[in-house]
Amino acid sequence: MSARTKARKRALDILFQADVRGDDLSQILAAEAKRAVNEPSREASWLYAREIVDGVIDNRDAIDEQITTFAKDWSLARMPAVDRAILRMGVWELLYNDEVPSGVAIDEAVELAKEFSTDDSGSFVHGVLGRVVRSG
């Protein structure tokens, strides 16, 4: 598994945790950063996970607007929390990270949805992110 794939899983965990618990994302990120200092073997994945979460924090309103626009009849509140977190990561990678090809961002998001969410989440995530790409 690549460092970026591991990083996406870490970022998903942070975003999901904040959403479900209603905790402040910056505080969870700070706690994870403190933990990462003691785990040098995970440094490569931590750096990209932090970049993702910081990017979602910095662009949350625009990201959520994209998701709401392209989620066809699904409000953010109605989506499973894990799907919201995956879509936020995916939209950030598509719109704000030029280093990741669109196809890779979508594939990685779909795989996370298949692994951690409902049976229908993979196709849902694929559809939303595909529409985001086509709109750009």
Side-chain angles (χ1 to χ4, degrees), residues 1-133:
M1 179 182 314
S2 76
R4 285 212 167 168
T5 298
K6 290 177 186 175
R8 287 179 184 95
K9 285 185 177 186
R10 288 182 86 171
L12 173 60
D13 184 51
I14 293 166
L15 293 168
F16 177 78
Q17 179 181 341
D19 193 12
V20 170
R21 292 184 180 174
D23 292 344
D24 181 72
L25 199 47
S26 298
Q27 288 179 341
I28 294 171
L29 191 61
E32 285 294 315
K34 195 175 197 178
R35 197 172 99 198
V37 169
N38 297 319
E39 300 174 7
S41 64
R42 294 172 52 170
E43 183 178 5
S45 67
W46 162 247
L47 295 175
Y48 189 57
R50 182 178 194 123
E51 185 178 344
I52 292 169
V53 175
D54 281 338
V56 170
I57 291 169
D58 292 346
N59 301 287
R60 179 127 179 209
D61 291 341
I63 289 169
D64 284 356
E65 183 178 320
Q66 289 287 311
I67 295 167
T68 302
T69 298
F70 296 109
K72 290 190 180 182
D73 302 324
W74 282 84
S75 67
L76 280 171
R78 193 170 155 227
M79 290 174 200
V82 70
D83 290 2
R84 270 194 307 272
I86 291 167
L87 285 169
R88 285 174 174 148
M89 288 183 352
V91 171
W92 177 80
E93 281 193 311
L94 291 171
L95 300 181
Y96 299 99
N97 188 347
D98 295 333
E99 295 175 13
V100 177
S102 297
V104 171
I106 293 171
D107 288 347
E108 290 277 341
V110 168
E111 288 306 312
L112 287 170
K114 287 178 180 178
E115 184 175 349
F116 295 109
S117 196
T118 69
D119 290 342
D120 296 329
S121 291
S123 59
F124 174 69
V125 166
H126 187 272
V128 173
L129 295 180
R131 287 189 285 280
V132 168
V133 168

